[in-house]
Amino acid sequence: MATRKKTQAQEELGSDPRMWGQGGVKVTDANRGAWFKESRFAMFIHWGLYSQLAGVWKGKPRHIIGEWIQHHAHIPAAEYAKTARVFNPTEYDPRQIVRLAREAGMKYIVITAKHHDGFAMYKSKVSPFNIVDATPYGRDVIAALADACHEAKMPLGFYYSQTQDWHEPDAVGNSWDTFGGHKKDFGRYLVDKAIPQIEELLTNYGPVALIWFDTPGPIGPEHSRKLMDRIRQLQPACLVNSRIGNGLGDYETLGDQEFPRFTHPGLWETIDTHNDTWGFVGHDLNWKSPRELVQRLVRIVSRGGNYMLNIGPDALGRVPEMSAAILRQVGRWLKVHGESIYGVEASPLGALPWGECTARPAGRGRTTLFLHVFQWPADGRLIVPHMGRQAVGARLMGGRKLKTRRTGKNLEILVGSQAPAAVVPVVALDIRGRAPAWTEAYAMNNSVSTLVAPAAAGKGFRQTKRSWMEKFGDWKHLECLGGFASPRAAAAWDFTTLEAGSFYMDIEYSCDLAADYGQWRAQLTGGGKYDVTFPLITTGPCRVGEGHGRELGRFRTYRIGLFSLAPGKHTLTISPTAKPAGEVYVSAVTLTPM
Ligand code: JFZ
């Protein structure tokens, strides 16, 4: 039960939208962020005392994000501080880390200067709880990295946990130490530690590209403002992310590992782990492959954001070999396809079933569309709706020119049935003028199409987002439809099939035990009429961030059936046959050609 209570603690963090510090960010000066926007891809580094614990406490492996081990195990601050006595990262090589970032195609680095545990990875005069004064290593790893970055002209930013500090009685987050009945005064923590340490970081390490704040939580507007003003005074060009809190910041940091379905406005980033943890955990070997990482990078950039991918050096300062090797493969992809990532614009197109698009002006009134193909068409035809009249020419990036043909208003690029070796092949399509965004969805005979929740119209439900932890700290976020309140509730998607075909239809949903085996209805009108009912079976218990403790099923898919559709427009409507007895969320419906 204790674990559940501790896990709930982070869920409670997640249930407080202030913790994500999102929204409300107004980019006052677009020029400030020009380098940020051009960069698109960055390295995040989580490294600290927790790295030597490696996810294990008193011999017990814990399935958590490694930098939260003190919180998860409720390690008293005084006991946790003793781990500094053996922290001695003798194999730390900052130049090798900067070289890895360069080889991976990453354009800036952000490293944890002080995480929630309160331990400074630099020589701090504000607190002796730092790597120089409290460890046998005794050297300033931030200074060494700053030198290596400045030498390599690699912008460097610092992560700083300005609200949570489990070492300090006046800070937020340590609910297990009584600190002798100390009366908390967050303002005092800010004035005595957080602001002076930010001043040290902005004074002693040369130009700082950005300060990356985190879990703002209950920090007051006056506190966020005080931090922002001090940063502007010391280094006016230094960017600040939205997790400074209270709607401040130069750009928005979305939820951890959050992948928005549609283009997101303004300057923003999504951060991601390479395995499932930020800080090193020896038993977490779940490394995403080069293909997964490139697809995640492309998905974020195609919606207008930056992708900051994390590495977690170990107790000795080494980057896990598997992680480094995979990052280098991503870098090799970027050497050939970087033109489709760095400095590009978000996709101007509507949803593409087979992949994602980025774009850049090509001069003479033309635009180059970079078509990232996640599903290579078995029949060799890459279909781009609405582009029939505007296409000028197409080529495989790093390869041959491609033939194209018009099919009505649409374009077929003849790419051949054999997928190229690239983990994500990219077709560069030059078009006259600017591409029109379309809103309708397409179901094609040579790729799986997804009708996503935000694209649904109708009544009797609400658009929402579920955030939950697959395991402690491993956040998932999914836009979905919820609140189906009666049989009159109906979610409808319009979509178009370009050719006749038979499609398997699967619904992706989450359903609690109370709604188990509820009867739902799928109706298809247009070029194929169907009206079928199907049961939604409970998807089992899991914890949901915003529900803090309410059990709710994970998301899974249920096959509704196989439908033969003529070419043309269709409308799919999903509705309950009775008021659901519990909570049901629908995130998507996929159409897979037979
Ligand atoms: C935060 C940190 O807690 C985590 O350790 C890591 O540094 C990550 C990059 O940032 O993760 C969060 C942020 C917000 C919430 C939970 C974890 N939240 O609002 O529940």
Side-chain angles (χ1 to χ4, degrees):
M1 201 49 196
T3 308
R4 178 176 161 63
K5 194 161 69 62
K6 289 174 202 157
T7 306
Q8 195 165 342
Q10 209 194 30
E11 286 170 358
E12 277 160 5
L13 279 174
S15 66
D16 173 354
R18 296 176 303 170
M19 283 310 278
W20 294 105
Q22 280 176 324
V25 174
K26 295 165 191 56
V27 178
T28 47
D29 169 1
N31 292 327
R32 280 176 60 79
W35 71 268
F36 179 86
K37 184 174 178 181
E38 173 70 27
S39 299
R40 288 301 184 218
F41 186 33
M43 175 184 273
F44 211 176
I45 304 175
H46 276 68
W47 190 33
L49 287 185
Y50 42 80
S51 307
Q52 68 180 338
L53 300 182
V56 177
W57 182 249
K58 294 194 170 26
K60 181 171 174 293
R62 291 169 176 267
H63 298 282
I64 54 163
I65 46 178
E67 70 284 0
W68 273 71
I69 192 163
Q70 184 188 353
H71 185 286
H72 196 262
H74 281 193
I75 306 170
E79 186 175 2
Y80 180 83
K82 289 178 189 153
T83 64
R85 294 175 189 167
V86 292
F87 189 50
N88 193 13
T90 52
E91 297 194 31
Y92 170 61
D93 180 346
R95 282 187 175 75
Q96 186 186 41
I97 287 177
V98 174
R99 197 161 47 245
L100 174 61
R102 191 70 82 205
E103 288 167 354
M106 295 161 153
K107 298 298 183 182
Y108 58 94
I109 294 175
V110 178
I111 185 171
T112 50
K114 187 219 50 134
H115 204 269
H116 306 331
D117 62 359
F119 183 73
M121 292 291 279
Y122 69 94
K123 168 61 183 169
S124 171
K125 292 193 171 67
V126 177
S127 160
F129 191 45
N130 71 69
I131 192 166
V132 172
D133 298 326
T135 76
Y137 184 69
R139 277 175 274 163
D140 186 330
V141 298
I142 297 289
L145 183 63
D147 292 345
C149 284
H150 298 328
E151 192 180 283
K153 295 185 174 33
M154 172 73 76
L156 175 64
F158 299 133
Y159 167 112
Y160 191 86
S161 174
Q162 80 280 20
T163 305
Q164 292 199 72
D165 187 321
W166 305 327
H167 186 75
E168 301 296 339
D170 282 331
V172 170
N174 181 336
S175 58
W176 57 92
D177 265 327
T178 58
F179 294 111
H182 178 87
K183 191 170 176 339
K184 269 187 197 300
D185 176 348
F186 180 71
R188 182 166 51 210
Y189 165 74
L190 208 78
V191 167
D192 291 352
K193 183 169 182 180
I195 291 177
Q197 286 197 325
I198 290 290
E199 290 170 344
E200 289 180 321
L201 290 167
L202 289 169
T203 306
N204 303 333
Y205 300 101
V208 176
L210 62 92
I211 296 287
W212 205 92
F213 288 114
D214 198 9
T215 59
I219 189 170
E222 71 285 4
H223 296 143
S224 299
R225 172 49 57 197
K226 199 180 276 187
L227 279 166
M228 180 63 102
D229 290 348
R230 197 67 188 108
I231 292 167
R232 289 285 195 263
Q233 283 164 358
L234 291 169
Q235 293 209 25
C238 178
L239 297 183
V240 175
N241 75 326
S242 59
R243 289 189 189 176
I244 186 172
N246 295 295
L248 298 184
D250 297 301
Y251 69 92
E252 184 176 5
T253 298
L254 300 192
D256 295 4
Q257 296 123 335
E258 182 169 6
F259 290 79
R261 291 276 199 187
F262 292 142
T263 295
H264 190 87
L267 274 185
W268 60 277
E269 69 180 347
T270 278
I271 55 172
D272 200 3
T273 53
H274 190 175
N275 46 8
D276 289 325
T277 174
W278 306 94
F280 178 76
V281 169
H283 48 272
D284 182 345
L285 304 179
N286 187 20
W287 305 109
K288 297 170 185 73
S289 69
R291 177 180 166 85
E292 281 175 284
L293 292 179
V294 169
Q295 287 192 357
R296 292 161 90 94
L297 167 66
V298 166
R299 197 166 290 133
I300 292 299
V301 175
S302 71
R303 285 157 178 75
N306 282 20
Y307 182 58
M308 184 152 77
L309 178 62
N310 184 72
I311 62 166
D314 65 12
L316 292 177
R318 298 170 304 189
V319 179
E321 277 179 25
M322 182 67 88
S323 179
I326 291 172
L327 288 185
R328 290 189 183 101
Q329 292 186 58
V330 172
R332 284 195 283 276
W333 181 86
L334 280 162
K335 274 209 182 319
V336 176
H337 303 89
E339 184 193 3
S340 74
I341 296 293
Y342 302 124
V344 293
E345 296 298 324
S347 172
L349 307 182
L352 294 165
W354 39 258
E356 302 288 356
C357 171
T358 58
R360 64 166 72 238
R364 294 180 295 144
R366 292 184 174 180
T367 304
T368 300
L369 301 176
F370 297 101
L371 308 174
H372 300 80
V373 186
F374 293 3
Q375 301 177 55
W376 193 261
D379 61 6
R381 299 179 302 142
L382 192 69
I383 301 168
V384 190
H386 299 271
M387 287 293 109
R389 294 185 187 81
Q390 292 179 255
V392 173
R395 62 185 163 88
L396 188 64
M397 287 189 83
R400 67 189 190 285
K401 287 187 81 163
L402 299 168
K403 288 192 173 51
T404 63
R405 69 178 172 218
R406 273 179 60 180
T407 48
K409 65 179 179 180
N410 304 316
L411 179 75
E412 288 186 1
I413 304 173
L414 307 182
V415 295
S417 56
Q418 182 59 42
V423 290
V424 174
V426 184
V427 172
L429 172 66
D430 290 328
I431 64 169
R432 274 183 288 278
R434 296 176 63 80
W438 57 82
T439 53
E440 69 266 39
Y442 285 88
M444 299 178 183
N445 284 0
N446 57 9
S447 58
V448 177
S449 309
T450 304
L451 306 174
V452 295
K459 60 186 185 332
F461 61 85
R462 71 177 190 279
Q463 292 279 359
T464 184
K465 180 171 78 172
R466 309 298 290 166
S467 294
W468 72 95
M469 292 195 291
E470 286 289 290
K471 64 176 175 39
F472 191 100
D474 173 25
W475 287 90
K476 306 293 178 202
H477 308 266
L478 200 54
E479 289 137 324
C480 46
L481 311 178
F484 291 88
S486 81
R488 289 183 302 284
W493 288 268
D494 293 333
F495 67 94
T496 300
T497 48
L498 302 175
E499 301 153 318
S502 296
F503 295 86
Y504 287 106
M505 194 178 292
D506 295 292
I507 184 169
E508 184 185 69
Y509 72 99
S510 175
C511 159
D512 68 7
L513 204 51
D516 184 29
Y517 224 76
Q519 295 299 306
W520 285 68
R521 189 175 176 192
Q523 293 164 285
L524 262 170
T525 56
K529 294 207 181 324
Y530 291 92
D531 187 346
V532 293
T533 59
F534 59 94
L536 282 186
I537 300 155
T538 183
T539 52
C542 82
R543 293 177 185 77
V544 181
E546 73 181 41
H548 72 87
R550 225 179 326 146
E551 298 289 311
L552 195 72
R554 284 191 173 82
F555 283 80
R556 55 160 283 184
T557 58
Y558 179 91
R559 172 137 303 169
I560 299 173
L562 178 62
F563 300 86
S564 174
L565 301 176
K569 291 191 180 303
H570 310 268
T571 299
L572 166 67
T573 304
I574 299 286
S575 50
T577 58
K579 181 179 182 333
E583 289 195 70
V584 177
Y585 292 88
V586 175
S587 57
V589 174
T590 55
L591 297 163
T592 304
M594 182 168 72

